[in-house]
Amino acid sequence: MSGLRKQKEYDWKDSNLALFGSDTEKNVKKESAQTETAWIGAGEKPGMKIWRIVKFKVTKWPEENYGSFYNGDSYIILRTKKENEELVHDVHFWIGKKSTADEYGTAAYKTVELDTFLDDKPVQHREVEGHESDLFKSYFSEMTLLDGGAESGFKHVGPKEYTPRLFLVRGNKKNVTLTNIELVKGNLTNDDCFIIDLGLELFQWNGIDANKEEKWKAGEICRDWRSKRGGKPRHIVLDDCTVEKIEELEELEGILPDGENSFKKQAGSEPSEKVLFSLSDRTGQLQCNEIARGKEVKRSLLKEDDVYIFDSGRHCYVYVGKAASIDERRNAMTYAHNYLMRTEHPLLPVTVINGGQKSVDFENAF
């Protein structure tokens, strides 16, 4: 592939998702899928199911924790809804930035297994922490990203023994993301809202330049947490805060340790140029070639006897033609993943579209 740039450094850069798209993954047959007890009842009615990968196994994620994800884990999310009296599915595998190669590799091929179990009807998606697609975020009015793995969290401790935590609040009235970041002064900013959770005290930091939606949502979250803890915590709102005057806030004296900014905020960068690749073995050897870029990228270039990788600049789509060969199908996601890892935007959401499946977002991306 031409025009690729040097790969950036990421926590999970050591893997090319070799299991995903390989013979190991694609040889999971229907019979094998039916022996996976985790899939019992999956997709039979509208709703959502979430599983976490634990030591190569698919384990049920408690419904009360839906919307909460640990960055040291990988998950599989199945959303089922009814359209025109038929059940349609979207299946996502979500990769925490500190998830191990074994965990997200297993999540990837187990996602394919679930797709097989549901007769190849679902639309498959890859999601990376902090770079989730709009579709994925729409599932949750509140999404919480926690540091570590599930084994280190959700412990039922009393509020007095609660480990102090700092959360960045970002989003709007439709959905908001709470990101668990290091509790140090350097991580507070003027243009965001934060919650300092001490168990029996909830400090709501409203940066002077934070938007009203984030302030409203931060307050709602604090009130919800207070209610869930039997009304015991105090909710202290700190309005119009600035990092320049943080030392003047007596309420936070002795609570926030010194420390430099350790959390890099996502930059609202402009989308890169569109590019389209074909993945074909018609020459007898599997080859991935760029066929169009920029304004030359058109929907009409996609044929049903090949696989295509379409980078829209904001989302990466893998289109699998109805007549694509087995090798083309098997390697599609691996090629897309490896392509992205050599770009300036390696963590884009990835969606696999099979020929015949409908996707408004995919069509509009052209």
Side-chain angles (χ1 to χ4, degrees):
M1 299 179 186
S2 61
L4 302 184
R5 300 176 182 177
K6 186 177 179 181
Q7 176 181 331
K8 285 185 173 182
E9 295 289 316
Y10 293 95
D11 289 333
W12 50 286
K13 68 182 185 304
D14 58 328
S15 172
N16 62 357
L17 275 187
L19 287 176
F20 194 38
S22 68
D23 286 345
T24 301
E25 171 260 309
K26 281 295 185 178
N27 281 338
V28 176
K29 303 296 184 182
K30 181 74 174 182
E31 294 80 5
S32 175
Q34 289 175 334
T35 64
E36 173 56 74
T37 57
W39 306 148
I40 296 175
E44 291 182 352
K45 59 182 180 180
M48 180 181 297
K49 289 185 179 293
I50 300 179
W51 300 269
R52 183 173 71 102
I53 302 303
V54 181
K55 297 179 180 178
F56 299 99
K57 293 184 179 180
V58 182
T59 62
K60 184 179 179 181
W61 191 235
E63 288 190 23
E64 61 268 25
N65 297 338
Y66 280 16
S68 294
F69 303 95
Y70 280 88
N71 63 12
D73 294 326
S74 289
Y75 301 79
I76 296 173
I77 298 89
L78 173 66
R79 197 279 300 266
T80 302
K81 62 180 181 178
K82 183 173 285 188
E83 288 185 358
N84 300 322
E85 298 306 312
E86 289 189 11
L87 293 176
V88 296
H89 317 278
D90 285 275
V91 59
H92 307 249
F93 67 97
W94 185 91
I95 305 170
K97 287 186 177 179
K98 295 181 181 179
S99 178
T100 67
D102 286 344
E103 287 172 337
Y104 59 74
T106 301
Y109 73 72
K110 280 292 184 179
T111 295
V112 175
E113 182 180 276
L114 178 56
D115 178 80
T116 301
F117 179 79
L118 295 172
D119 298 319
D120 300 321
K121 292 180 180 179
V123 176
Q124 297 177 43
H125 309 264
R126 183 201 77 170
E127 309 283 351
V128 178
E129 178 196 343
H131 298 263
E132 294 85 357
S133 65
D134 290 340
L135 174 65
F136 185 83
K137 289 188 288 188
S138 73
Y139 299 161
F140 313 99
S141 61
E142 178 184 318
M143 191 165 71
T144 305
L145 305 179
L146 298 160
D147 191 42
E151 284 77 9
S152 62
F154 289 122
K155 294 180 180 178
H156 299 286
V157 299
K160 292 183 179 180
E161 295 80 35
Y162 200 86
T163 301
R165 296 190 291 185
L166 175 64
F167 290 89
L168 166 65
V169 182
R170 180 169 294 159
N172 50 49
K173 287 185 178 180
K174 289 186 177 180
N175 52 67
V176 66
T177 300
L178 281 78
T179 305
N180 184 193
I181 60 179
E182 187 180 1
L183 182 64
V184 294
K185 291 179 182 177
N187 278 337
L188 297 175
T189 65
N190 295 343
D191 56 353
D192 286 308
C193 287
F194 298 83
I195 297 173
I196 303 170
D197 184 0
L198 304 183
L200 287 174
E201 291 180 311
L202 298 169
F203 290 93
Q204 178 184 338
W205 165 288
N206 291 334
I208 192 168
D209 297 321
N211 66 53
K212 62 180 181 181
E213 287 83 6
E214 289 172 340
K215 293 178 181 179
W216 179 84
K217 203 65 179 176
E220 182 183 55
I221 291 166
C222 285
R223 290 188 290 273
D224 178 59
W225 288 358
R226 185 172 182 271
S227 175
K228 289 179 178 177
R229 299 175 194 176
K232 294 179 181 180
R234 288 196 305 145
H235 176 199
I236 303 100
V237 180
L238 307 173
D239 269 324
D240 297 327
C241 295
T242 63
V243 295
E244 293 79 12
K245 296 183 178 181
I246 192 172
E247 302 298 338
E248 299 177 12
L249 290 173
E250 296 180 0
E251 297 92 335
L252 298 182
E253 187 175 352
I255 292 175
L256 283 168
D258 293 329
E260 299 297 322
N261 184 288
S262 62
F263 178 76
K264 294 181 180 180
K265 293 165 57 177
Q266 296 178 43
S269 59
E270 291 297 315
S272 59
E273 188 178 34
K274 295 178 181 179
V275 59
L276 179 66
F277 298 90
S278 68
L279 181 62
S280 175
D281 60 4
R282 66 181 63 190
T283 63
Q285 184 177 1
L286 193 62
Q287 295 181 334
C288 190
N289 297 307
E290 180 182 320
I291 60 174
R293 182 175 286 268
K295 295 181 179 180
E296 299 302 315
V297 174
K298 301 182 185 301
R299 177 67 172 85
S300 58
L301 294 173
L302 278 60
K303 310 300 180 184
E304 292 299 325
D305 56 352
D306 281 325
V307 167
Y308 297 86
I309 298 170
F310 172 35
D311 179 358
S312 75
R314 292 193 181 279
H315 202 115
C316 185
Y317 296 93
V318 177
Y319 183 82
V320 181
K322 294 179 182 178
S325 72
I326 293 176
D327 281 345
E328 291 167 352
R329 293 170 181 268
R330 285 178 176 175
N331 290 280
M333 180 61 91
T334 298
Y335 270 81
H337 175 85
N338 290 343
Y339 155 69
L340 284 174
M341 291 302 286
R342 292 173 174 82
T343 70
E344 291 294 309
H345 48 273
L347 306 184
L348 285 185
V350 180
T351 296
V352 179
I353 306 290
N354 290 314
Q357 285 181 325
K358 294 181 180 179
S359 172
V360 175
D361 290 339
F362 174 63
E363 300 298 336
N364 289 342
F366 288 95

